Amino acid sequence: MTPQPQRTGRTGRPPRLSQEAVLTAAQHVLDQEGPEHLSMRRLAQELSSTAMALYHYVRDKDELLLLLLERHAQRFPRPELPADPRERLISAAQALHDILAECPWIVEVLASDDLMAVSALWIVENIIDAGIQCGLTPEEAVYAYRVIWYYTAGELTIRVNRERHHAELGRPPHRDKAFAALTPEEFPRLASLADQWDEITTRDTHREGLVAIVDGLLSRTRSTRKAT
């Protein structure tokens, strides 16, 4: 009698499937196509598998995104922040920008105000605590954090969308043609800046803007309190 071969492990699933493989494939889809194109069906196609097989590793798209957010946050090196509260506020806000800049799709996911990575909340904690140490009330510190978040999310969203769109264009941007047609009589400032507009507006000025926002928030609060 011929002995039957022993079966080990699960059957019916490709052996290369694992939660790590699923996360890596999802990361690729997000990087290349953005969150709006990520679905269990699209992910199954990326893995040459079936959507049903993926539910063994992740419950749904939300859990998939949460796992990806946590994985990215845990891999980001946590810097040693300055003791001075203003400098700590700026450094923590810069860390927020840097962690998002590595994976711009995260901005779109976080913008829903639903999902978040607990492993990244040390940034929010330090921004708010530093704001309070600078003399803000807790409510003002939360407002400061929200202003910084809106600035950071907006800056990254515009930059990423501009770069992606311009890379796909087979022509110069329509903006260049429109600016070239401006008359000095009607638009004296814009016409004088038309040749420099692209170079000026594509500079990386995030840090300068961040410092200006932080100093503006702190000075505005101090001025308001002096007036009262």
Side-chain angles (χ1 to χ4, degrees), residues 89 124 127-149 213-214 216-226 228:
L89 177 52
V124 183
I127 289 175
I128 292 176
D129 181 67
I132 293 172
Q133 293 296 319
C134 285
L136 304 181
T137 66
E139 292 79 7
E140 290 168 343
V142 172
Y143 171 74
Y145 159 69
R146 297 295 285 182
V147 171
I148 290 168
W149 158 239
I213 287 171
V214 169
L217 287 166
L218 297 180
S219 63
R220 174 178 173 272
T221 303
R222 295 189 189 105
S223 299
T224 301
R225 286 178 182 165
K226 285 180 181 178
T228 56

Side-chain angles (χ1 to χ4, degrees), residues 175-176 179 190 193-202:
R175 180 206 60 216
D176 293 352
F179 266 61
L190 291 178
L193 291 166
D195 292 340
Q196 309 169 60
W197 191 265
D198 188 63
E199 189 275 328
I200 293 173
T201 58
T202 55

Side-chain angles (χ1 to χ4, degrees), residues 42-219:
R42 174 66 186 89
L43 187 54
Q45 181 184 23
E46 184 75 12
L47 288 163
S48 300
S49 181
T50 65
M52 288 303 297
L54 303 185
Y55 288 114
H56 178 75
Y57 304 98
V58 290
R59 183 175 60 251
D60 51 27
K61 181 178 175 179
D62 279 355
E63 183 180 49
L64 177 63
L65 290 171
L66 281 171
L67 289 170
L68 286 167
L69 290 172
E70 283 292 339
R71 185 171 76 158
H72 183 64
Q74 290 169 12
R75 289 179 177 179
F76 187 82
R78 184 168 175 172
E80 184 175 347
L81 299 176
D84 177 77
R86 174 186 171 275
E87 293 302 318
R88 181 156 60 97
L89 177 52
I90 292 171
S91 294
Q94 184 65 50
L96 174 66
H97 173 274
D98 294 346
I99 195 172
L100 295 175
E102 287 189 356
C103 288
W105 59 264
I106 294 178
V107 174
E108 188 173 339
V109 172
L110 296 182
S112 67
D113 258 352
D114 177 18
L115 306 178
M116 67 168 61
V118 175
S119 298
L121 287 182
W122 63 267
I123 299 175
V124 183
E125 173 71 19
N126 274 279
I127 289 175
I128 292 176
D129 181 67
I132 293 172
Q133 293 296 319
C134 285
L136 304 181
T137 66
E139 292 79 7
E140 290 168 343
V142 172
Y143 171 74
Y145 159 69
R146 297 295 285 182
V147 171
I148 290 168
W149 158 239
Y150 293 149
Y151 166 64
T152 302
E155 193 268 345
L156 287 172
T157 299
I158 291 172
R159 177 171 62 80
V160 170
N161 286 342
R162 178 182 61 220
E163 291 175 355
R164 182 180 297 165
H165 182 68
H166 284 200
E168 296 171 353
L169 280 178
R171 56 169 176 76
H174 174 73
R175 180 206 60 216
D176 293 352
K177 183 179 179 180
F179 266 61
L182 296 178
T183 61
E185 293 76 20
E186 188 175 6
F187 302 99
R189 299 298 186 190
L190 291 178
S192 68
L193 291 166
D195 292 340
Q196 309 169 60
W197 191 265
D198 188 63
E199 189 275 328
I200 293 173
T201 58
T202 55
R203 291 175 188 167
D204 183 1
T205 57
H206 170 264
R207 177 80 179 190
E208 292 91 330
L210 175 61
V211 172
I213 287 171
V214 169
D215 286 343
L217 287 166
L218 297 180
S219 63

Side-chain angles (χ1 to χ4, degrees), residues 19-35:
Q19 188 178 82
E20 184 63 24
V22 171
L23 293 178
T24 299
Q27 178 78 58
H28 178 74
V29 173
L30 287 165
D31 289 340
Q32 298 299 315
E33 304 174 26

